[in-house]
Amino acid sequence: MSDLARAVERLGQTLETMGLPRMPARVFAYILADDQSAYTAAELAQGLDVSPAAISGAVRYLADTHLVVRERNPAGRGDLFRVRDGDIWSTIQAARLPVLDVIIESVQEAVDLLPEGSAGRERVEETRDYFRFVQENSRDLDRRWREWRAAHR
């Protein structure tokens, strides 16, 4: 097994523990770790030694979740897949921030249904407050990340 294949498998396993399904995790890991900037589905299948059908579902998942960009292949049939330009993790994190609004709103609806002073309501209020805290701090995280990256590179 090549060093690239080992790196892809290790990163893919890590992405799985973060919640990505196995094949999308492997495809994303390959796109991140390999030197090429964009891939056809056939190139991904060959690079990972899997069937084109496995790649089809994986890239659909990755495009739907904004982890990769799908674009037309100017040189032929099919699409090309690549990671987003620029700081991919910051971009992904920023795209997920609106989900916190939905979570906070849903948890608040649960709070409103529970009796004041009850232990259950207090736990659900703490849940809401936690997500409010995460939301407020996430907005500053991007700035802090860019500063940290500039200082450490």
Side-chain angles (χ1 to χ4, degrees), residues 25-27 42 64 70 74 146 148:
R26 290 185 69 218
V27 170
D64 288 349
R70 176 192 310 252
R146 291 180 195 285
W148 186 92

Side-chain angles (χ1 to χ4, degrees), residues 49-60:
D49 194 27
V50 298
S51 73
I55 295 298
S56 176
V59 295
R60 183 174 35 258

Side-chain angles (χ1 to χ4, degrees), residues 93 97 100 129-139:
Q93 183 65 23
L97 286 178
L100 291 174
D129 294 345
Y130 172 80
F131 282 105
R132 283 180 178 166
F133 172 82
V134 169
Q135 184 181 49
E136 289 173 15
N137 284 282
S138 293
R139 289 183 169 80

Side-chain angles (χ1 to χ4, degrees), residues 1 5 12 19 22 24 29-30 35 43-44 60 65 83 88 96 99 102 112 118 121 129 136 146-147 152:
M1 181 182 277
R22 185 172 194 275
Y30 184 81
D35 290 336
E43 290 168 332
L44 292 170
R60 183 174 35 258
T65 56
V83 295
I88 183 171
R96 295 191 181 335
V99 171
V102 173
D112 294 341
S118 70
R121 181 174 175 145
D129 294 345
E136 289 173 15
R146 291 180 195 285
E147 290 171 359
H152 290 86

Side-chain angles (χ1 to χ4, degrees), residues 12-13 15-28 57-58 61-62 65 67:
Q13 290 171 349
L15 293 169
E16 279 185 76
T17 65
M18 294 170 59
L20 262 66
R22 185 172 194 275
M23 188 52 63
R26 290 185 69 218
V27 170
F28 189 62
Y61 175 91
L62 293 169
T65 56
L67 291 172

Side-chain angles (χ1 to χ4, degrees), residues 34-98:
D34 192 51
D35 290 336
Q36 202 168 304
S37 61
Y39 302 84
T40 65
E43 290 168 332
L44 292 170
Q46 181 180 6
L48 290 167
D49 194 27
V50 298
S51 73
I55 295 298
S56 176
V59 295
R60 183 174 35 258
Y61 175 91
L62 293 169
D64 288 349
T65 56
H66 308 290
L67 291 172
V68 300
V69 175
R70 176 192 310 252
E71 52 195 20
R72 276 286 177 223
N73 183 354
R77 295 179 7 166
D79 294 322
L80 292 174
F81 303 94
R82 62 176 177 78
V83 295
R84 296 190 168 280
D85 292 331
D87 181 0
I88 183 171
W89 293 106
S90 181
T91 301
I92 290 168
Q93 183 65 23
R96 295 191 181 335
L97 286 178

